[in-house]
């Protein structure tokens, strides 16, 4: 059978339809939300009182509804409808003896009497000190159910005005701000975040200044039994208080609590929950809903936009409070050509930018005498060719650095995410930078300390070729403990390499040159190799870095010492 579902009591009088959550033909369950209404102070979802099928919808977007207005026509099963009617009739019969208007009036009378008593106490306080401490409680929420405190908008010592929002409550169906009924200074906040609060619960104590107790002496002389006399002044006070929100309704504020920076936003409870789960500040989200209301899709699109921005502009975007580089129209100065960065260049730029912002870099410079090493390398040229490899200085650097990572284990670590621990590695994998047509790549040789010079020479050549021909997989560039970046084949003296985080150090090697070195009596021509060691100063101190480069110079100066 068909039944007309009407709008139940909504507390605020009326609200605008901002979402219709069902359509004709939908099957709904009891308590399933049908529409979302929004007033000046709250947004709420109207549930269906019983299960059935939507036969017709009596409202449209933008309609203003109040209690008793037609909402939908519901097709429900006859048996269920009769059973529900019988149950409802039984409940009504049970309720009739208890529903006495006199009792309701007494309950209403009790509240003003309590308020009058509070007023008398406040008056005596004012006479003594010119101010009073008044409790501020949760007003009538329109039901006996509780709502969760999701935001506390004031703190002790704050000065608040009448109707300024104090807290934001959120139930399953609505979010609402609770305004201050008086102006004053917050003496103490009694309510807590995530607390369930209901009508009459204490929010805070307010220190109210400068009120004149003109009519209160007459109240003191009234007998306690004269309930009507006590009620009359209180009623006038209530009417006066009600007139202020009415004036404010002329210029309604956005619904919902402020964001983190205090800006009010316009969003329902489900959207606020989603924003909290995603860590999104609603003040930063662009709204597309009616009356500038933020929808779930707006939050999701905001997150996608932020993630996309981080991927597409990692090299120029600001970070850690650093302003972004301003955009400039270079075509104003002459002819230009815009070319897309390769994917490899984009990834490399993002990684370098992240490392530079997060790692406090220091670079230690030194020189290593590799005269004897170079003589040995040339002497072993035939042996290397016989083994099918080319013996460059890189295998010697790899072997010496691996030896040092074992000897000085404080370089073979990673800083834990909490910043309070060091993760020590019991393996030695070293990456080496390779310049390719598409950008810089860093292949990783594993277990360097366990391999010979000829093995390292062959593996380095193989990985470099894979990098240049785009055959190097992602696994081949992961797991490094340390990185070597060599510019010896190009030239230069020193440079400052950027640490490849989460590693804590990187070695830069420039071109070796013949230099005069004083041996105590005369200058001797020596082949000197410039070393540039950049390190993460959070994990490594300057003394350790100086010892590392000094010891590296000793190992390269006499490679036989690595056998000891």
């Amino acid at each position: 059978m068909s039944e007309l579902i009407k709008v139940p009591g909504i507390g605020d009088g009326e609200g605008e339809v901002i979402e219709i959550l069902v359509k004709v033909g939908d099957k709904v369950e009891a308590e399933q939300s049908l529409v979302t209404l929004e007033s000046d102070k709250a947004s709420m979802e109207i549930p269906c009182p019983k299960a059935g099928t939507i036969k017709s919808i009596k409202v449209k977007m933008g309609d203003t509804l109040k209690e008793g207005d037609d909402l939908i026509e519901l097709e429900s099963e006859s048996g269920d409808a009769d059973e529900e009617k019988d149950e409802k009739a039984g409940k009504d019969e049970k309720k009739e003896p208890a529903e006495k208007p006199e009792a309701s009036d007494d309950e209403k009378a009790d509240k003003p009497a309590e308020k009058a008593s509070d007023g008398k106490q406040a008056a005596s306080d004012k006479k003594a000190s010119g101010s009073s401490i008044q409790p501020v409680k949760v007003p009538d929420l329109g039901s006996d159910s509780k709502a969760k405190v999701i935001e506390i908008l004031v703190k002790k010592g704050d000065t608040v005005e009448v109707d300024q929002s104090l807290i934001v409550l959120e139930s399953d169906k609505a979010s609402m701000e609770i305004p201050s009924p008086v102006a004053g200074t917050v003496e103490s906040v009694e309510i807590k975040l995530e607390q369930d609060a209901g009508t009459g619960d204490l929010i805070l104590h307010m220190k109210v200044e400068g009120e004149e107790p003109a009519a209160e002496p007459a109240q003191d002389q009234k007998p306690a039994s004269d309930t009507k006399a006590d009620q009359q002044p209180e009623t006038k006070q209530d009417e006066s208080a009600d007139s202020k929100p009415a004036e404010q309704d002329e210029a309604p504020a956005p619904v919902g609590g402020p964001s983190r920076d205090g800006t009010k936003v316009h969003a329902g409870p489900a959207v606020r929950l989603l924003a909290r789960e995603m860590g999104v500040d609603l003040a930063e989200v662009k709204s597309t809903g009616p009356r500038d209301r933020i929808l779930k899709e707006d939050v999701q699109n905001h997150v996608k936009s932020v993630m996309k921005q981080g991927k597409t502009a990692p090299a120029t975007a600001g970070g850690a409070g650093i302003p972004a580089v301003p955009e400039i129209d270079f075509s104003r100065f002459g002819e230009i050509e815009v070319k897309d960065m390769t994917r490899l260049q984009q990834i490399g730029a993002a990684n370098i930018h992240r490392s530079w912002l997060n790692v406090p870099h220091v670079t230690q410079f030194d020189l290593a005498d590799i005269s004897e090493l170079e003589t040995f390398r040339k002497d072993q040229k035939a042996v290397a060719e016989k083994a099918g490899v080319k013996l460059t200085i890189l295998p010697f650097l790899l072997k010496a650095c691996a030896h040092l990572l074992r000897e000085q284990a404080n370089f073979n670590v990673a800083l834990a995410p909490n910043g309070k621990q060091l993760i020590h590695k019991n393996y030695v994998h070293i990456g080496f930078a390779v310049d390719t047509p598409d950008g810089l790549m860093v292949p990783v040789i594993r277990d360097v300390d366990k391999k010979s010079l000829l093995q390292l020479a062959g593996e380095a050549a193989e990985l470099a070729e894979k990098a240049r021909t785009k055959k190097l997989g992602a696994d081949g560039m992961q797991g490094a403990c340390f990185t070597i970046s060599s510019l010896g084949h190009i030239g230069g003296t020193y440079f400052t390499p950027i640490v490849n985080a989460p590693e804590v150090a990187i070695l830069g090697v420039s071109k070796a040159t013949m230099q005069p070195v004083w041996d105590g009596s005369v200058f001797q021509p020596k082949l000197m190799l410039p070393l540039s060691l950049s390190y993460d100063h959070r994990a490594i101190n300057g003394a350790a870095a100086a010892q590392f480069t000094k010891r590296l110079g000793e190992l390269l100066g006499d490679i036989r010492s690595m056998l000891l």
Side-chain angles (χ1 to χ4, degrees):
M1 60 175 293
S2 297
E3 182 177 355
L4 194 59
I5 304 299
K6 298 180 180 291
V7 177
I10 57 178
D12 285 338
E14 61 181 25
E16 181 183 339
V17 179
I18 58 172
E19 278 186 294
I20 298 177
L21 308 174
V22 293
K23 60 182 182 295
V24 174
D26 282 357
K27 291 185 177 180
V28 296
E29 303 294 332
E31 299 302 320
Q32 180 176 335
S33 297
L34 301 174
V35 299
T36 302
L37 299 183
E38 188 172 73
S39 68
D40 293 332
K41 297 296 179 185
S43 60
M44 65 206 79
E45 295 176 5
I46 304 301
C48 188
K50 59 181 67 177
T53 303
I54 305 294
K55 189 172 181 180
S56 66
I57 298 174
K58 304 297 183 181
V59 298
K60 61 181 183 297
M61 292 286 289
D63 284 355
T64 300
L65 302 181
K66 61 183 183 299
E67 181 179 353
D69 286 348
D70 294 345
L71 190 59
I72 63 165
E73 186 179 359
L74 186 70
E75 182 76 27
S76 59
E77 295 182 3
S78 177
D80 291 342
D82 293 341
E83 183 178 350
E84 288 177 3
K85 285 182 179 179
D86 293 340
E87 290 178 359
K88 185 175 180 181
K91 290 178 181 178
D92 291 341
E93 289 174 1
K94 292 177 182 179
K95 288 181 179 178
E96 282 178 3
E99 292 179 350
K100 296 180 180 180
E102 292 78 3
S104 176
D105 290 341
D106 290 341
E107 290 173 0
K108 292 180 180 179
D110 288 339
K111 292 183 180 178
E114 292 173 2
K115 291 181 180 177
S117 176
D118 291 342
K120 293 173 185 177
Q121 181 63 37
S124 62
D125 291 339
K126 289 173 189 173
K127 289 177 182 178
S129 62
S131 64
S132 65
I133 306 299
Q134 297 186 11
V136 178
K137 300 181 179 181
V138 177
D140 187 3
L141 299 179
S143 66
D144 295 331
S145 61
K146 299 274 188 176
K148 183 169 290 187
V149 179
I150 63 171
E151 285 185 274
I152 299 176
L153 309 175
V154 294
K155 61 183 182 299
K156 182 179 179 180
D158 283 357
T159 301
V160 299
E161 302 295 332
V162 175
D163 292 329
Q164 180 177 334
S165 297
L166 302 175
I167 61 172
V168 180
L169 299 180
E170 183 176 79
S171 67
D172 294 336
K173 302 300 179 184
S175 62
M176 66 204 82
E177 295 178 15
I178 302 303
S180 175
V182 295
T185 303
V186 178
E187 186 72 14
S188 64
V189 178
E190 308 297 341
I191 208 161
K192 293 180 174 59
L193 276 176
E194 302 299 320
Q195 175 182 331
D196 289 331
T199 301
D201 287 348
L202 181 62
I203 300 175
L204 51 82
H205 285 97
M206 185 82 74
K207 183 177 182 181
V208 180
E209 301 281 354
E211 291 190 2
E212 295 182 5
E216 291 172 0
Q219 291 179 0
D220 293 339
Q221 298 174 1
K222 294 174 184 177
S225 60
D226 192 1
T227 307
K228 292 183 180 179
D230 285 341
Q231 280 184 321
Q232 189 172 358
E234 191 65 35
T235 305
K236 292 180 180 179
Q237 184 179 353
D238 291 343
E239 290 173 357
S240 175
D242 292 340
S243 65
K244 292 182 179 179
E247 293 172 1
Q248 190 179 10
D249 288 345
E250 296 176 4
V255 175
S259 64
R260 295 183 210 122
D261 63 358
T263 305
K264 286 191 175 182
V265 293
H266 199 55
V271 174
R272 290 181 180 278
L273 176 62
L274 178 64
R276 289 200 299 274
E277 290 174 347
M278 290 184 154
V280 173
D281 185 352
L282 287 173
E284 299 175 358
V285 179
K286 184 179 180 181
S287 60
T288 61
R291 295 176 61 189
D292 292 328
R293 184 171 183 269
I294 297 175
L295 308 178
K296 284 185 178 180
E297 292 79 6
D298 297 332
V299 177
Q300 293 164 349
N301 291 336
H302 175 77
V303 173
K304 291 177 182 177
S305 175
V306 171
M307 294 179 67
K308 184 178 180 181
Q309 183 180 1
K311 291 181 178 180
T312 56
T316 57
I322 301 172
V325 176
E327 293 186 14
I328 298 175
D329 181 11
F330 295 102
S331 63
R332 295 188 295 116
F333 312 114
E335 186 177 347
I336 63 170
E337 182 181 0
V338 179
K339 293 183 178 181
D340 292 335
M341 294 173 66
T342 64
R343 181 175 176 274
L344 187 59
Q345 288 173 327
Q346 294 178 35
I347 294 173
N351 292 338
I352 291 171
H353 185 245
R354 182 180 64 244
S355 292
W356 183 252
L357 288 177
N358 286 283
V359 175
H361 283 71
V362 181
T363 305
Q364 174 71 27
F365 301 105
D366 212 333
L367 282 169
D369 181 359
I370 61 168
S371 303
E372 293 185 13
L373 184 151
E374 182 64 11
T375 300
F376 176 78
R377 186 186 71 83
K378 289 180 178 178
D379 290 344
Q380 301 303 314
K381 184 177 180 181
V383 177
E385 289 177 352
K386 187 175 180 180
V389 297
K390 184 178 180 181
L391 193 60
T392 65
I393 194 173
L394 179 60
F396 294 94
L397 291 169
L398 288 165
K399 196 70 176 175
C401 288
H403 185 88
L404 269 179
L405 290 177
R406 286 294 189 190
E407 186 177 282
Q408 298 188 22
N410 55 325
F411 278 81
N412 194 15
V413 301
L415 194 67
N418 60 19
K420 299 178 181 179
Q421 297 170 309
L422 291 174
I423 301 170
H424 289 260
K425 303 170 185 176
N426 295 322
Y427 52 86
V428 180
H429 305 338
I430 298 180
F432 63 100
V434 177
D435 188 23
T436 74
D438 292 328
L440 192 69
M441 299 185 73
V442 185
V444 177
I445 299 178
R446 303 185 183 279
D447 299 317
V448 176
D449 57 324
K450 300 176 182 179
K451 296 176 179 176
S452 68
L453 290 171
L454 295 180
Q455 286 177 313
L456 293 174
E459 192 168 345
E462 181 183 354
L463 289 173
E465 181 61 23
K466 285 184 178 180
R468 295 187 185 99
T469 56
K470 301 181 181 179
K471 295 180 180 179
L472 186 65
D475 291 343
M477 294 184 288
Q478 296 177 352
C481 309
F482 187 84
T483 298
I484 297 174
S485 178
S486 177
L487 299 178
H489 62 290
I490 298 175
T493 51
Y494 296 98
F495 66 102
T496 304
I498 297 176
V499 175
N500 187 21
E503 300 164 29
V504 295
I506 181 173
L507 178 68
V509 181
S510 298
K511 185 177 182 179
T513 57
M514 294 299 297
Q515 298 182 25
V517 178
W518 182 255
D519 66 358
S521 57
V522 294
F523 283 100
Q524 298 286 349
K526 297 291 184 179
L527 185 62
M528 305 302 291
L529 182 68
L531 304 175
S532 304
L533 180 73
S534 290
Y535 56 95
D536 186 340
H537 210 348
R538 297 173 299 177
I540 299 172
N541 59 41
Q547 291 170 1
F548 188 96
T549 54
K550 181 177 181 292
R551 181 70 177 130
L552 180 59
E554 293 173 355
L555 293 175
L556 294 175
D558 188 353
I559 59 174
R560 294 172 297 180
S561 61
M562 286 188 283
L563 301 175
L564 297 176

